[in-house]
Amino acid sequence: MNRIPSTVLAGLLALAAVVPVTAAAPAASAAPARTAADAAPVRPAVAQNEVLSVRGAGPFRIGARLDRFVAAGLIDWTAPGCPGIVHAGVTGSWAGAIMLTFRDGRLVSVGTATAPPRSPAGGSVGMSFAELERIYGPRGRMIRNDAGDADAYLVRFGSRVELFSDHPIRPGVGFYEAGLASYVERSFRRGCC
C-alpha cells in the first residue's frame, strides 16, 4: 500500500496548524470608545471550517482543478502519491485542518485528522464507530480493507462517500475523508488506485 500512514498524516496536519495567540484585553476604562460602525461580528476562524462534506470543504470543491487552487494561492505544499495522484496542503483558514487529494489534476477527496471539521451529520475524528452508527443508522456500514488490517465506516451518497477510518493507536476514528467513491473507497480497500 502506498498511502500516507495515519500517524504521519496527523503529525503533518498538526504541525501545519497555526493557532493565534492573543493578549488579554485592556480594562474597559482604558479601551477607546467604539461606535456601531466599528462593531463587526467577530467569529473564530474555526467556525468557517466546521463542515467537510462529499462536496468538499470551503472553497475546495470536489472536481476543481489543482492549477486553479495554485493560481489563487490556496496551496501550501504538494507531494506525489500513486501514479496520477497528488496530495496537497492548503493555506488560509483551512491550513492544518485538511489535506486534498488530486487525481489527474482534479480534486477527488478532502480529508482530515482533526476535529473540527465534522461531516454535515456530525461525524468526526475521535468518535467511536458505535457513535457513527447511531448518527447514520442504515445509511452507513463498517467495511474492511482488502489486506484485512484496517476498518472504516462508510456512508455512500450516490457516486460520493464519507469514510471514517480507524486510528492506528486507539479505537475509533483517526481520519475522516470525503469525496469520489471511485477514489476514496477504492484507495481504502486496495491501497494505491
Side-chain angles (χ1 to χ4, degrees):
M1 243 175 357
N2 190 7
R3 294 182 62 192
I4 296 175
S6 298
T7 53
V8 172
L9 179 60
L12 284 172
L13 289 172
L15 287 174
V18 177
V19 179
V21 178
T22 58
S29 61
R34 292 181 55 130
T35 65
D38 293 334
V42 178
R43 295 178 62 192
V46 79
Q48 301 169 21
N49 305 337
E50 290 192 359
V51 179
L52 187 166
S53 75
V54 295
R55 292 184 194 103
F60 306 103
R61 294 298 177 199
I62 300 299
R65 297 195 51 81
L66 172 59
D67 57 357
R68 295 205 178 181
F69 292 132
V70 169
L74 296 173
I75 300 298
D76 183 37
W77 57 266
T78 61
C82 301
I85 301 295
V86 173
H87 302 286
V90 302
T91 63
S93 62
W94 287 93
I98 62 172
M99 185 175 77
L100 310 178
T101 302
F102 296 86
R103 181 172 53 197
D104 300 324
R106 296 246 179 221
L107 184 60
V108 293
S109 82
V110 180
T112 187
T114 66
R118 299 182 183 286
S119 73
S124 71
V125 169
M127 287 187 158
S128 70
F129 291 120
E131 289 174 297
L132 291 174
E133 288 174 339
R134 282 192 293 277
I135 290 171
Y136 288 102
R139 294 179 293 164
R141 65 187 171 99
M142 289 298 297
I143 63 171
R144 195 153 184 78
N145 69 355
D146 292 352
D149 60 0
D151 294 312
Y153 191 79
L154 180 75
V155 183
R156 191 169 295 284
F157 297 89
S159 64
R160 298 181 183 194
V161 295
E162 291 178 353
L163 183 88
F164 300 86
S165 53
D166 57 0
H167 193 281
I169 299 171
R170 61 169 172 70
V173 178
F175 194 73
Y176 164 47
E177 185 175 14
L180 299 179
S182 61
Y183 175 78
V184 175
E185 181 179 1
R186 187 173 180 183
S187 68
F188 173 76
R189 289 185 185 272
R190 298 183 185 173
C192 251
C193 299

